[in-house]
Amino acid sequence: MNYPLLNVPERPAKPRQKGLTMVMDKGLSLRQVEDFIDVAGVHTDIVKLGWATSHVTPNLKEKLALYKSAGIPTYFGGTLFEAFIIRNQFSDYQRVLDEYGMEYAEVSDGSIDIEHDKKCGFISELAKQVTVISEVGSKDAAKIFAPYKWIKLMQAEIEAGAWKVIAEAREGGNVGIYRGSGEVREGLVDEILTQIPEETIIWEAPQKEQQVWFIKLIGSNVNLGNIAPAEVIPLETIRLGLRGDTFDYFLNQVK
Ligand SMILES: C=C(OP(=O)(O)O)C(=O)O
Ligand SMILES: O=S([O-])[O-]
C-alpha cells in the first residue's frame, strides 16, 4: 500500500487460501501480460487462460513462462478439458499438461454431459498430476439444478480431490449462480454456504455488482473468479472498502 490508511480490511499475503482473485486472460499478448503483471500481479492469485484459447494463442510457452516468473500460477479453461474428453483424448490432455509444465488443471462439464462418477474419476486421476480446480454448473442457461444438487456435486468433487470448486457463471456472468439478468440466485448461494466451506469455493463474478454482492455477503477475502485483467485493481479497492460500492459497508464494520 502506498500510504498509511487506518481500518482497512486485512488481506492475507500470497500464496493464500482465501481472498483469491482468479483472472481470466482470453488472449493477452506477451507485452500485455508484462504490463498486467507490473500493474496487477501483486493482487492476482491465479490466471485462467479462458476456455480453449490456449489452443490458438501464439507464443503460449513464453506466455506461461512470464506468469511463472511473476509467481502467478496458470491453468487452461475447463472447456479445453471438455474438448479433449469429448474426443476421447484424456491421456493426450494429460500429456499436454506435462508438456506445458502446468501445475493446475480445471475439470468441468459446462458444455458436455459427463456422468458424475466419471467426472470425479477424472478429478482423482488428474489430482495425482496437478492441483485440480473443478467447476460445477452448466453453461447452458436452460440447465438449472436445485441447490441440494449443487451441494452434492460440490461435496463429491472436493472428496475426489479438487482443491477448490468453481461456481459457474461464464465470462458474461449470466448463467449458473446468476439469472440471465446477472442477478445472483441468492437462495442458491445461501444454501450452498450452509454445507460447503466458503474458502473452498471460487465464485465466478465477472460483473462489478456481483463482486460487490459477494464481498458484502462473505467479506473482503471471498474467492472471486473470471475477473477481467483491467478489473483487478478496481476489485481490490472494492475488497478494501475504498470504492463507493462498499465504502459504507466497511465503515459500519469498523465503528
Ligand atoms: C469462462 C468460460 O469458459 P471456461 O470456464 O472454460 O474458461 C466461458 O466460456 O465463458
Ligand atoms: O435460489 S434463488 O434465490 O433463485
Side-chain angles (χ1 to χ4, degrees):
M1 300 315 119
N2 293 326
Y3 34 76
L5 191 59
L6 297 177
N7 290 325
V8 172
E10 210 168 303
R11 299 275 286 131
K14 292 201 301 174
R16 52 194 162 200
Q17 289 293 321
K18 267 177 79 117
L20 304 180
T21 294
M22 176 266 269
V23 171
M24 172 147 71
D25 170 343
K26 57 173 183 174
L28 297 180
S29 69
L30 295 182
R31 218 173 296 164
Q32 286 171 319
V33 172
E34 281 169 351
D35 287 345
F36 169 77
I37 289 168
D38 276 350
V39 74
V42 68
H43 302 301
T44 301
D45 294 273
I46 187 159
V47 170
K48 170 176 76 175
L49 303 193
W51 56 101
T53 55
S54 57
H55 186 53
V56 294
T57 294
N59 308 309
L60 181 57
K61 283 197 171 157
E62 289 84 343
K63 183 175 200 169
L64 295 171
L66 281 177
Y67 282 121
K68 194 168 194 164
S69 66
I72 302 173
T74 50
Y75 68 97
F76 299 144
T79 305
L80 183 71
F81 162 81
E82 294 176 45
F84 275 89
I85 295 309
I86 195 109
R87 292 169 176 81
N88 282 320
Q89 285 186 270
F90 180 59
S91 39
D92 289 336
Y93 187 59
Q94 291 185 291
R95 275 191 287 277
V96 168
L97 295 177
D98 268 346
E99 190 193 330
Y100 285 87
M102 305 309 286
E103 290 167 15
Y104 289 76
E106 182 178 322
V107 172
S108 60
D109 54 354
S111 301
I112 58 173
D113 291 324
I114 310 178
E115 236 177 86
H116 201 243
D117 283 353
K118 220 172 150 194
K119 183 182 180 191
C120 288
F122 288 129
I123 293 172
S124 340
E125 198 50 38
L126 282 175
K128 296 179 194 155
Q129 188 181 351
V130 290
T131 300
V132 175
I133 302 174
S134 73
E135 186 180 67
V136 172
S138 175
K139 293 193 195 304
D140 180 348
K143 283 191 191 157
I144 290 177
F145 37 90
Y148 83 90
K149 186 129 190 247
W150 280 82
I151 292 167
K152 221 173 110 198
L153 298 173
M154 285 178 158
Q155 278 168 338
E157 295 180 18
I158 294 163
E159 234 163 81
W163 167 62
K164 303 277 183 202
V165 282
I166 298 175
E168 173 72 277
R170 295 210 63 185
E171 185 197 2
N174 55 3
V175 295
I177 50 170
Y178 304 102
R179 299 197 173 87
S181 59
E183 196 192 336
V184 185
R185 292 184 194 277
E186 297 189 15
L188 169 63
V189 171
D190 285 344
E191 254 186 86
I192 291 175
L193 284 169
T194 63
Q195 301 296 323
I196 310 288
E198 59 90 1
E199 66 273 13
T200 314
I201 307 171
I202 301 176
W203 308 96
E204 289 192 341
Q207 300 180 19
K208 186 184 78 170
E209 293 68 26
Q210 300 169 344
Q211 298 158 13
V212 168
W213 190 87
F214 276 106
I215 289 167
K216 286 185 176 172
L217 182 76
I218 294 173
S220 303
N221 291 306
V222 61
N223 299 322
L224 296 174
N226 281 9
I227 306 303
E231 296 304 322
V232 172
I233 294 246
L235 169 60
E236 196 61 25
T237 63
I238 297 170
R239 289 183 185 278
L240 298 180
L242 297 175
R243 190 171 186 179
D245 314 79
T246 51
F247 201 91
D248 283 355
Y249 173 73
F250 284 105
L251 276 185
N252 292 337
Q253 305 247 310
V254 295
K255 256 185 218 157

